[in-house]
Amino acid sequence: MASSSQSLEQEIESLRQKIRHHEYLYYVLDHPEISDREFDQLMRQLKDLEAEHPALIIPDSPTQRVGGKPREGFVKIPHSSPMLSLDNTYNEEELRAWERRVHELSGRKDIDYVCELKLDGMSLALIYEDGKLVRGITRGDGSVGEEVTLNVRTVRSIPLSIDPGQRKAAGMPSAFEVRGELLMPTAAFQKLNAEREREGLTPFANPRNFTAGTVRQLDASVTAQRRLDFFPYILLTKGRSYFDHHWKTLDALKQAGFKVNPNRELAHSMEEVWAFIREWEGKRDSLEYEIDGIVVKVDRTALQAELGFTGKAPRWAIAYKYAARAGITKLEDIRVQVGRTGKLTPVALLAPVLIGGTTVRNATLHNLDEIERLGVKIGDWVQVERGGDVIPKVVKVIADKDRPRGHKSFHMPETCPVCGTQVVRTAGEVDYRCVNANCPAKLRETILHFASRGIMNIDGMGEALVTQLMDHGLVKDVADIYQLTKKDLLGLERFADKSAQNILHEIERSKKLPLERVIYGLGIRFVGERTAQFLAEYFGSMKELEQASTELLQEVNEVGPRIAHSIAEFFSIGANRKLLQRLQDAGLTMSGRKTKRGTKLAGKTFVLTGTLAHFTRDEARKMIEDAGGKVTGSVSKKTDWVIAGDDAGSKLDKAKELGIRVIDENALEKLLR
Ligand code: IVH
């Protein structure tokens, strides 16, 4: 018996080792050796084994990256030694002045420097004990940070545990602290931000802010969905450097399984440092993430200690900052754009200017508050920056004798520039909105959203085509797409037989896409890809979703009052219900995979309340539904049973008041048997 359980343990552990190895190849080295599918199979195998033997689950198992319930807030934790920032230099002369100071203070000139990329993310401390990740802490104010362990555990390039053999080979201790930069690759940033916009949420200005917003999610499963990356650059024990050379530190971290940035160099002179700086200034656009400069560090740690620090920055390191890719140009006008949710965004129309290889003609001014903060007027000369941001932005007004100020102030229009409806600014909100549900600008954005990749995926139905279709009065809402004929398309500019055929084919194909895509495509405020998926799984059909009360909607995973209200509001509008009917008539998928349901609890209605000991609420709901029962969010005369866990609140009182049967989860299990 004992030996068989040991071999099971061994089997599970070797499976974990295998998965860790492939995670390392994929997330750290960017060099997978097996397909995603094979990887998923290994993971599934491990999950199944762990589900059968929950006693054998360990915290650093690859299955345990996400776990636990959303927290109430973050705990503050002091750092082992202050997390410093860096002094900046902006030209060669300033860099040379820094070098001179290093020479003077150390009394020597033969100094090696390590050059690293200055990654534009946020710094993070990771504490490992006994080779296992135990805590992740944000920089905070440098002395005290916030504990974000559950979030950082979801970052795949951060090892949850270090292989003891590898650790020893790397010469690393078993208890240590790693500091480095957490960041979001530019492509992931752009994709996620576009999704946010589609969902009617305010987009993040740049990947750095998005990273900070992501790691501070109270619900770590949200962090897990957004791909973050971590590059370490400091190793400490008891708040001090561990190795005698920084270069050695980076190599050891790499050997231990961390994703050390490969773009680094050990320079034996300031000439070599300068060459590295110049080299990367030209190559920065080729990286998958943003950098804003180069960090130069004295290699020998004894010398670092000798040099010490001033205020909040070390004397042994310096940042060389690249100029933000900026340009100066004239702001010729301000146009107001109306988004899918009706939000009015002022956009600067600029005299074309070349910034970092791209011609920039528009820049965002965000909102009226921002225009007031900048004090910008039409006709001003402005500085425009292009960072990792989605659209360039106006950063300041230039006023000197060669560049006179403009005179015309901008006013937010009182009516929508597209449909003429009165514009509304809700008290306490920054944004102005057009509230006309039929505003053509909103419709246009809604149609583009519906047809876009990842939703109904109608290839070819981009801005140009949608504008034409609307101008010709052929499409007024998403259902009209499905009435288009070849004749309609041939009447448009640049449409020949073949291209018309292609679009019709794409439209036809979209009808087969699953229910969750249709739900997502409707553009209901706050309903993104993931929520749409949960809704489709829960309700199984558009009809059931349409009829759901706000209480029932809140039974769905991750749906709170705000989202529930938005969904219910959408379906309460007659025009929207008609639209859905037309989509159904056109042959779109309006129901999902019907899970095979039992009949044991057919026709019975349950309400779940309090914390259950053996299952999550979702699991209990699924069990009831699989047996043909129904779970609702509030207790009424129609409720047959209330399943009460610990700390059951008002629903329990209501059940007692109405004389409804209240049972615990054991009794529920009996009902299901
Ligand atoms: S070393 C005492 N190395 O830049 C050493 N920092 O402007 C301090 N950063 O707070 C950090 N890339 O968030 C170091 N290769 C790198 C870096 C880097 C980015 C960030 C870090 C720091 C900030 C200071």
Side-chain angles (χ1 to χ4, degrees), residues 186-206:
T186 320
F189 164 72
Q190 281 168 349
K191 177 170 174 279
L192 290 163
N193 231 12
E195 249 166 47
R196 276 181 78 80
E197 253 180 306
R198 284 209 285 263
E199 287 163 29
L201 301 170
T202 319
F204 284 95
N206 52 51

Side-chain angles (χ1 to χ4, degrees), residues 460-475:
M461 194 165 281
E463 296 210 10
L465 177 56
V466 170
T467 306
Q468 279 208 69
L469 290 170
M470 290 187 73
D471 288 351
H472 283 73
L474 290 168
V475 169

Side-chain angles (χ1 to χ4, degrees), residues 442-456:
K442 282 193 199 176
L443 297 177
R444 181 172 175 276
E445 295 298 319
T446 305
I447 293 165
L448 282 168
H449 167 79
F450 184 85
S452 66
R453 187 177 304 158
I455 308 184
M456 298 310 281

Side-chain angles (χ1 to χ4, degrees), residues 84 86 116-119 123 181 233-234 295 297 314 316:
L84 303 173
L86 294 168
E116 294 170 23
L117 303 184
K118 187 166 190 305
L119 308 161
S123 48
E181 203 78 355
Y233 44 67
I234 280 182
V295 183
K297 300 173 180 174
W316 51 265

Side-chain angles (χ1 to χ4, degrees), residues 331-382:
L331 188 157
E332 296 182 328
D333 204 352
I334 297 179
R335 192 185 59 203
V336 174
Q337 261 179 7
V338 186
R340 185 165 58 81
T341 60
K343 180 183 156 188
L344 269 55
T345 304
V347 176
L349 304 188
L350 307 165
V353 54
L354 198 66
I355 305 178
T358 307
T359 305
V360 175
R361 293 187 171 84
N362 301 319
T364 182
L365 285 157
H366 299 295
N367 51 48
L368 196 59
D369 285 10
E370 177 71 358
I371 292 180
E372 282 165 7
R373 191 185 69 78
L374 294 164
V376 68
K377 293 199 167 82
I378 295 164
D380 273 343
W381 286 84
V382 290

